[in-house]
Amino acid sequence: MHSATSIAIEIMRAHALRNTNQVSLIALCALAAAISSGAFAQANSSNNTPLTIKDWTAAGSGCRARMSQSGDVQLTGMRTTNTTNGSKLVILNFSLPNYQLVSPPQNPATSITFAKECALRVVADPLGHARIKSIAARTPVVFSKDEKTGLTMQYILKLDGHIVAQSLSEQDAGRAIRNQEDKVVLSGLPVREENEISANSCGSRQMLGFDYTFIAARSKISDSAQVGLSENKQLELAVELEPCRS
Amino acid sequence: MSLLMNSTFNSRNNHSNQTKHTNFGKVSAMQPSALTSRTLASKIRSLAAFLLLTLAFTPHAHAEELIWNNVVAYGSGDGSPCRFNPQTPSQNNVIWTAAGGDLSIILTNWSVSLPKIARLAGGKLTTSSICTFDATVTIPRGYYLKTLSQTLVTGVMKDKLVSGGITSNGFLFQTLIPLNQINMIFRPDQALSNALLNVNNTQIITQPFIQSLCQASRQVSFTTKFRFQLVGVGIRPFPQLGLQANVDGSDVHFGLDSSLERCP
């Protein structure tokens, strides 16, 4: 199945499950129309991307890299698909092969409660008289923990400094979990002010963000916890661009 | 790499499909009698839609934006200091990214803990760390800032009877625009084992500053400063009391979103 299609389908599922994401039905209908028409499945990838990546940074206790400086996060792909509603979908693939939370060996210097974070920031210019209509992110994770360990996994999707979607998964102490997989899908809409003039949202530089936070709360130093990305250890960021009407 | 190759492959397919379509069109053009008015109208509609889409996505000048320059960050006080110096990137634990009016600052490995590092003040153990972020911001002529939104997110672990917090004070354009202070408070009445805290604040810029910006004869550059302070306070008779802010390995995320408007 085409990756964009799978993203969109899962976006739909996520929206169906959550009504608190501040997502309008209009954007969902647009995505649904694109899916039902088979536009994503038959979409033609293009190198003439309507989005230019000016810079990106991955930073935190669990990762470090930037566009101009190699590290343990890489931008591995970028492709564009057309949708039937006149918008374009740009999908960015980031690889995070080393980002994980692992309970370290018995080390008295390590805290009982500890975290690993990775925050990704992407600076992008929509080309032409276009603006971001919606954004989405998909990342597969796998986690394990001992019975007396609690795990908190938080994912935040940001656009222009605003949190547009977030997901919190809390696995309380009380039962052991082994290699449980979870596909995290977040989507949201830009926060637009009333009467916002087009210059603010059309053709202007945008900052996309995705934050991972994994926290392990152990009862003793020998308790174990492990969280990491599964499958191809990738984060997919999908940006839907629409032409400005003004 | 495989994805890039996949994109190239799809692109070739695209080109191939377009070629077929073009050939079909030529055949049709040589047999005008086969074209009904209905198909002609359909083709005109398709062509119009294609032209509109092409126009919509053709390169276009970007809106004017804030420019962030000369960024440094430095720390003081207890705990692990913060640092950003472009000359020594390997030692930096402050990472910043800006996109016009949007600024993202991530403070990694910036924390205080009790009672490891603490001083006795007023019968209480206190510890604090300050991180100062300086930058030069240039606003294009003919534009003003309308609103500012700040976000602060971090993880906290602390025992009961330990209080503390993170505050953020900022000024845009030297002291002309004081940002609303953000207070993230860790109350002493409950323990926090792995709390993720999030504070947001939005403010509207005052009219006199808008007027002064809009009447400027050239673009304006000013020093801008953010000052983050992390404080922990514990009561002395309880030596086991502990505050770790943030959670070991968790980062402090600060975001600023400023909307730029064209002067009336």
Side-chain angles (χ1 to χ4, degrees):
Chain A
M1 183 183 287
H2 193 283
S3 179
T5 311
S6 61
I7 283 186
I9 288 171
E10 289 188 65
I11 288 167
M12 296 299 293
R13 285 182 186 150
H15 285 310
L17 292 172
R18 289 192 299 272
N19 294 321
T20 56
N21 271 356
Q22 304 174 352
V23 174
S24 81
L25 284 173
I26 298 170
L28 290 180
C29 289
L31 279 171
I35 295 165
S36 60
S37 67
F40 286 0
Q42 298 168 8
N44 296 317
S45 294
S46 167
N47 289 329
N48 298 323
T49 175
L51 195 71
T52 300
I53 304 301
K54 305 301 290 185
D55 192 16
W56 63 265
T57 304
S61 56
C63 67
R64 182 171 287 247
R66 65 183 314 156
M67 191 173 179
S68 58
Q69 187 180 342
S70 63
D72 52 12
V73 177
Q74 293 95 35
L75 175 59
T76 55
M78 179 174 173
R79 61 190 190 280
T80 305
T81 62
N82 297 317
T83 68
T84 53
N85 62 0
S87 61
K88 293 195 174 189
L89 194 66
V90 180
I91 299 172
L92 309 173
N93 284 70
F94 286 92
S95 175
L96 300 90
N98 300 324
Y99 172 53
Q100 61 178 346
L101 174 146
V102 182
S103 58
Q106 295 187 16
N107 178 1
T110 304
S111 298
I112 294 288
T113 296
F114 66 101
K116 284 289 181 187
E117 288 198 303
C118 185
L120 193 72
R121 298 287 181 270
V122 181
V123 178
D125 286 347
L127 294 181
H129 205 49
R131 68 177 184 175
I132 292 178
K133 183 179 182 183
S134 66
I135 61 171
R138 175 185 179 274
T139 188
V141 296
V142 59
F143 57 92
S144 302
K145 72 175 191 70
D146 284 348
E147 183 182 352
K148 292 182 179 176
T149 300
L151 265 184
T152 301
M153 293 162 282
Q154 180 176 259
Y155 312 91
I156 296 179
L157 183 62
K158 292 178 177 173
L159 180 60
D160 291 345
H162 295 279
I163 295 173
V164 296
Q166 65 186 106
S167 169
L168 180 66
S169 170
E170 293 181 294
Q171 305 293 330
D172 294 333
R175 70 183 180 103
I177 296 174
R178 292 287 171 261
N179 296 320
Q180 183 168 319
E181 299 208 4
D182 192 10
K183 284 183 180 169
V184 178
V185 178
L186 295 178
S187 62
L189 300 174
V191 175
R192 299 200 204 283
E193 295 170 25
E194 285 184 24
N195 305 319
E196 185 180 33
I197 60 171
S198 60
N200 267 357
S201 54
C202 290
S204 65
R205 186 158 290 180
Q206 308 277 312
M207 189 192 297
L208 316 171
F210 190 86
D211 296 354
Y212 291 94
T213 301
F214 300 151
I215 301 178
R218 301 178 295 167
S219 60
K220 58 182 185 296
I221 205 80
S222 58
D223 287 339
S224 75
Q226 184 166 357
V227 191
L229 305 195
S230 61
E231 298 175 11
N232 49 11
K233 297 183 183 296
Q234 293 216 339
L235 166 68
E236 288 179 293
L237 282 178
V239 183
E240 186 186 14
L241 292 161
E242 64 177 353
C244 293
R245 291 180 177 81
S246 56
Chain B
M1 186 65 187
S2 62
L3 284 166
L4 291 172
M5 288 172 69
N6 192 31
S7 291
T8 308
F9 177 73
N10 286 336
S11 179
R12 282 176 185 160
N13 280 349
N14 181 16
H15 178 71
S16 172
N17 289 340
Q18 282 180 342
T19 305
K20 281 180 186 173
H21 182 73
T22 307
N23 288 340
F24 179 72
K26 281 180 182 173
V27 172
S28 299
M30 290 171 69
Q31 299 171 344
S33 58
L35 285 174
T36 62
S37 60
R38 194 172 173 182
T39 55
L40 201 67
S42 170
K43 281 179 184 298
I44 290 169
R45 274 201 302 272
S46 300
L47 189 64
F50 173 77
L51 286 173
L52 279 173
L53 207 61
T54 306
L55 281 173
F57 283 101
T58 44
H60 186 273
H62 288 286
E64 297 285 355
E65 292 164 335
L66 291 181
I67 298 169
W68 299 79
N69 272 317
N70 306 325
V71 174
V72 293
Y74 47 93
S76 61
D78 308 322
S80 53
C82 79
R83 178 186 171 90
F84 180 84
N85 184 339
Q87 308 301 321
T88 53
S90 63
Q91 297 171 27
N92 294 340
N93 59 5
V94 175
I95 292 93
W96 69 279
T97 310
D102 305 314
L103 175 70
S104 172
I105 300 172
I106 299 168
L107 309 175
T108 67
N109 300 315
W110 183 61
S111 64
V112 294
S113 62
L114 280 172
K116 288 179 184 172
I117 304 171
R119 287 166 282 106
L120 186 61
K124 293 178 178 178
L125 291 170
T126 65
T127 181
S128 70
S129 181
I130 294 169
C131 182
T132 305
F133 180 95
D134 286 350
T136 303
V137 181
T138 303
I139 188 166
R141 184 173 173 234
Y143 284 81
Y144 68 93
L145 289 176
K146 183 182 176 188
T147 57
L148 296 167
S149 297
Q150 301 175 78
T151 309
L152 194 65
V153 181
T154 195
V156 178
M157 179 175 71
K158 76 171 195 69
D159 289 336
K160 200 173 177 182
L161 301 179
V162 170
S163 61
I166 299 178
T167 57
S168 169
N169 287 294
F171 290 98
L172 283 186
F173 307 112
Q174 288 172 332
T175 57
L176 287 175
I177 304 181
L179 298 179
N180 287 351
Q181 179 172 306
I182 288 188
N183 290 307
M184 182 181 279
I185 298 168
F186 318 142
R187 298 189 183 284
D189 52 353
Q190 62 175 350
L192 300 174
S193 63
N194 54 359
L196 289 162
L197 303 180
N198 182 346
V199 179
N200 296 295
N201 184 285
T202 299
Q203 69 186 94
I204 297 172
I205 305 302
T206 56
Q207 193 63 30
F209 180 71
I210 295 172
Q211 286 175 349
S212 65
L213 270 184
C214 288
Q215 288 166 1
S217 59
R218 65 180 72 178
Q219 68 176 19
V220 182
S221 296
F222 283 120
T223 301
T224 289
K225 186 185 291 284
F226 301 97
R227 184 173 179 270
F228 307 101
Q229 183 171 22
L230 181 56
V231 178
V233 180
I235 301 169
R236 197 161 192 243
F238 301 95
Q240 279 78 32
L241 289 178
L243 171 141
Q244 201 169 53
N246 38 36
V247 173
D248 190 11
S250 181
D251 310 319
V252 177
H253 296 223
F254 174 78
L256 176 75
D257 173 36
S258 49
S259 67
L260 206 60
E261 293 282 327
R262 192 185 290 276
C263 291

Short mmCIF file of all heavy atoms in Angstrom, two decimals, chain A residues 50 86-88 126-131 203 241-245, chain B residues 49-60:
data_model
loop_
_atom_site.label_atom_id
_atom_site.label_comp_id
_atom_site.label_asym_id
_atom_site.label_seq_id
_atom_site.Cartn_x
_atom_site.Cartn_y
_atom_site.Cartn_z
N PRO A 50 6.44 21.24 -3.74
CA PRO A 50 5.99 22.60 -3.42
C PRO A 50 6.48 23.07 -2.05
O PRO A 50 6.03 24.09 -1.57
CB PRO A 50 4.47 22.45 -3.43
CG PRO A 50 4.24 21.03 -3.05
CD PRO A 50 5.40 20.24 -3.58
N GLY A 86 -7.12 19.49 -5.21
CA GLY A 86 -6.28 20.63 -5.60
C GLY A 86 -5.13 20.89 -4.67
O GLY A 86 -4.31 21.75 -4.93
N SER A 87 -5.05 20.17 -3.58
CA SER A 87 -3.92 20.36 -2.67
C SER A 87 -2.83 19.36 -2.99
O SER A 87 -3.02 18.43 -3.78
CB SER A 87 -4.38 20.22 -1.22
OG SER A 87 -4.89 18.94 -0.98
N LYS A 88 -1.67 19.57 -2.39
CA LYS A 88 -0.55 18.66 -2.58
C LYS A 88 -0.10 18.14 -1.22
O LYS A 88 -0.16 18.84 -0.23
CB LYS A 88 0.62 19.38 -3.25
CG LYS A 88 0.31 19.77 -4.69
CD LYS A 88 1.57 20.15 -5.45
CE LYS A 88 1.24 20.40 -6.92
NZ LYS A 88 2.45 20.55 -7.74
N PRO A 126 6.78 27.00 1.94
CA PRO A 126 5.85 26.59 0.88
C PRO A 126 6.12 27.43 -0.36
O PRO A 126 6.15 28.66 -0.28
CB PRO A 126 4.47 26.90 1.46
CG PRO A 126 4.69 27.14 2.91
CD PRO A 126 6.09 27.65 3.04
N LEU A 127 6.34 26.78 -1.48
CA LEU A 127 6.64 27.54 -2.69
C LEU A 127 5.34 28.03 -3.34
O LEU A 127 4.30 27.38 -3.23
CB LEU A 127 7.40 26.66 -3.69
CG LEU A 127 8.80 26.24 -3.25
CD1 LEU A 127 9.46 25.41 -4.32
CD2 LEU A 127 9.65 27.46 -2.94
N GLY A 128 5.47 29.13 -4.02
CA GLY A 128 4.30 29.66 -4.68
C GLY A 128 3.33 30.26 -3.69
O GLY A 128 3.61 30.42 -2.51
N HIS A 129 2.16 30.55 -4.18
CA HIS A 129 1.14 31.16 -3.32
C HIS A 129 0.36 30.03 -2.67
O HIS A 129 -0.80 29.78 -2.99
CB HIS A 129 0.25 32.06 -4.17
CG HIS A 129 -0.39 33.15 -3.37
ND1 HIS A 129 0.30 33.96 -2.50
CD2 HIS A 129 -1.68 33.55 -3.30
CE1 HIS A 129 -0.53 34.81 -1.94
NE2 HIS A 129 -1.74 34.58 -2.41
N ALA A 130 1.05 29.33 -1.75
CA ALA A 130 0.43 28.18 -1.11
C ALA A 130 0.59 28.28 0.41
O ALA A 130 1.44 29.02 0.90
CB ALA A 130 1.07 26.89 -1.61
N ARG A 131 -0.21 27.52 1.10
CA ARG A 131 -0.09 27.50 2.56
C ARG A 131 -0.43 26.11 3.08
O ARG A 131 -1.03 25.29 2.37
CB ARG A 131 -1.02 28.54 3.19
CG ARG A 131 -2.49 28.24 3.04
CD ARG A 131 -3.29 29.30 3.77
NE ARG A 131 -4.71 29.02 3.74
CZ ARG A 131 -5.62 29.74 4.37
NH1 ARG A 131 -5.24 30.80 5.06
NH2 ARG A 131 -6.89 29.45 4.32
N GLY A 203 2.69 31.41 1.61
CA GLY A 203 4.04 31.58 1.12
C GLY A 203 5.04 31.95 2.19
O GLY A 203 6.20 32.24 1.88
N LEU A 241 -0.56 20.91 1.43
CA LEU A 241 -0.49 22.31 0.99
C LEU A 241 -1.65 22.62 0.07
O LEU A 241 -1.98 21.83 -0.81
CB LEU A 241 0.83 22.56 0.25
CG LEU A 241 2.09 22.48 1.10
CD1 LEU A 241 3.29 22.27 0.21
CD2 LEU A 241 2.25 23.73 1.92
N GLU A 242 -2.23 23.78 0.29
CA GLU A 242 -3.33 24.20 -0.59
C GLU A 242 -2.99 25.55 -1.20
O GLU A 242 -2.30 26.36 -0.58
CB GLU A 242 -4.63 24.29 0.21
CG GLU A 242 -4.60 25.37 1.28
CD GLU A 242 -5.91 25.50 2.02
OE1 GLU A 242 -6.88 24.85 1.61
OE2 GLU A 242 -5.96 26.27 2.99
N PRO A 243 -3.48 25.80 -2.41
CA PRO A 243 -3.24 27.12 -3.01
C PRO A 243 -4.03 28.19 -2.29
O PRO A 243 -5.16 27.94 -1.85
CB PRO A 243 -3.72 26.94 -4.45
CG PRO A 243 -4.63 25.77 -4.42
CD PRO A 243 -4.20 24.89 -3.31
N CYS A 244 -3.42 29.35 -2.15
CA CYS A 244 -4.13 30.46 -1.51
C CYS A 244 -5.13 31.06 -2.49
O CYS A 244 -4.86 31.14 -3.68
CB CYS A 244 -3.14 31.54 -1.07
SG CYS A 244 -2.07 31.00 0.24
N ARG A 245 -6.23 31.47 -1.97
CA ARG A 245 -7.28 32.01 -2.85
C ARG A 245 -7.19 33.51 -3.02
O ARG A 245 -7.73 34.06 -3.94
CB ARG A 245 -8.65 31.63 -2.29
CG ARG A 245 -8.92 30.15 -2.41
CD ARG A 245 -10.27 29.76 -1.85
NE ARG A 245 -10.52 28.34 -2.04
CZ ARG A 245 -10.03 27.40 -1.24
NH1 ARG A 245 -9.28 27.74 -0.21
NH2 ARG A 245 -10.29 26.13 -1.47
N ALA B 49 -8.26 23.91 -15.21
CA ALA B 49 -7.90 23.45 -13.86
C ALA B 49 -6.39 23.29 -13.73
O ALA B 49 -5.79 23.66 -12.72
CB ALA B 49 -8.60 22.13 -13.57
N PHE B 50 -5.78 22.74 -14.80
CA PHE B 50 -4.33 22.53 -14.78
C PHE B 50 -3.59 23.87 -14.68
O PHE B 50 -2.66 24.05 -13.91
CB PHE B 50 -3.90 21.78 -16.04
CG PHE B 50 -2.41 21.66 -16.19
CD1 PHE B 50 -1.70 20.74 -15.43
CD2 PHE B 50 -1.71 22.47 -17.08
CE1 PHE B 50 -0.33 20.63 -15.56
CE2 PHE B 50 -0.35 22.36 -17.22
CZ PHE B 50 0.35 21.44 -16.45
N LEU B 51 -4.08 24.85 -15.49
CA LEU B 51 -3.43 26.17 -15.48
C LEU B 51 -3.57 26.84 -14.11
O LEU B 51 -2.61 27.43 -13.61
CB LEU B 51 -4.04 27.06 -16.57
CG LEU B 51 -3.62 26.71 -18.00
CD1 LEU B 51 -4.42 27.54 -19.00
CD2 LEU B 51 -2.12 26.97 -18.19
N LEU B 52 -4.75 26.73 -13.53
CA LEU B 52 -4.96 27.34 -12.21
C LEU B 52 -4.05 26.72 -11.17
O LEU B 52 -3.45 27.41 -10.35
CB LEU B 52 -6.43 27.15 -11.78
CG LEU B 52 -7.42 28.14 -12.38
CD1 LEU B 52 -8.85 27.73 -12.00
CD2 LEU B 52 -7.13 29.55 -11.87
N LEU B 53 -3.93 25.39 -11.23
CA LEU B 53 -3.08 24.68 -10.27
C LEU B 53 -1.62 25.06 -10.46
O LEU B 53 -0.88 25.27 -9.51
CB LEU B 53 -3.26 23.17 -10.45
CG LEU B 53 -3.01 22.31 -9.21
CD1 LEU B 53 -3.98 22.69 -8.11
CD2 LEU B 53 -3.15 20.84 -9.55
N THR B 54 -1.22 25.15 -11.73
CA THR B 54 0.17 25.54 -12.03
C THR B 54 0.47 26.92 -11.51
O THR B 54 1.50 27.18 -10.90
CB THR B 54 0.40 25.49 -13.55
OG1 THR B 54 0.02 24.20 -14.02
CG2 THR B 54 1.86 25.75 -13.90
N LEU B 55 -0.49 27.85 -11.74
CA LEU B 55 -0.29 29.23 -11.25
C LEU B 55 -0.21 29.25 -9.73
O LEU B 55 0.59 29.97 -9.15
CB LEU B 55 -1.46 30.11 -11.71
CG LEU B 55 -1.39 30.59 -13.15
CD1 LEU B 55 -2.69 31.30 -13.51
CD2 LEU B 55 -0.21 31.54 -13.34
N ALA B 56 -1.04 28.41 -9.12
CA ALA B 56 -1.08 28.42 -7.65
C ALA B 56 0.22 27.97 -7.05
O ALA B 56 0.61 28.42 -5.98
CB ALA B 56 -2.22 27.53 -7.16
N PHE B 57 0.93 27.06 -7.71
CA PHE B 57 2.14 26.50 -7.11
C PHE B 57 3.42 27.00 -7.77
O PHE B 57 4.49 26.46 -7.52
CB PHE B 57 2.08 24.97 -7.16
CG PHE B 57 1.16 24.40 -6.12
CD1 PHE B 57 -0.12 23.97 -6.45
CD2 PHE B 57 1.56 24.32 -4.80
CE1 PHE B 57 -0.96 23.46 -5.49
CE2 PHE B 57 0.71 23.80 -3.83
CZ PHE B 57 -0.55 23.39 -4.18
N THR B 58 3.34 28.02 -8.61
CA THR B 58 4.57 28.56 -9.20
C THR B 58 5.31 29.37 -8.14
O THR B 58 4.70 29.92 -7.22
CB THR B 58 4.27 29.47 -10.40
OG1 THR B 58 3.20 30.31 -10.05
CG2 THR B 58 3.96 28.65 -11.63
N PRO B 59 6.67 29.43 -8.26
CA PRO B 59 7.44 30.18 -7.26
C PRO B 59 6.93 31.59 -7.07
O PRO B 59 6.55 32.27 -8.02
CB PRO B 59 8.84 30.16 -7.85
CG PRO B 59 8.87 28.93 -8.69
CD PRO B 59 7.49 28.80 -9.26
N HIS B 60 6.92 32.02 -5.83
CA HIS B 60 6.33 33.31 -5.48
C HIS B 60 7.13 33.86 -4.31
O HIS B 60 7.60 33.11 -3.46
CB HIS B 60 4.87 33.07 -5.08
CG HIS B 60 4.10 34.33 -4.83
ND1 HIS B 60 4.08 34.93 -3.60
CD2 HIS B 60 3.35 35.07 -5.64
CE1 HIS B 60 3.32 36.03 -3.67
NE2 HIS B 60 2.87 36.13 -4.90
#
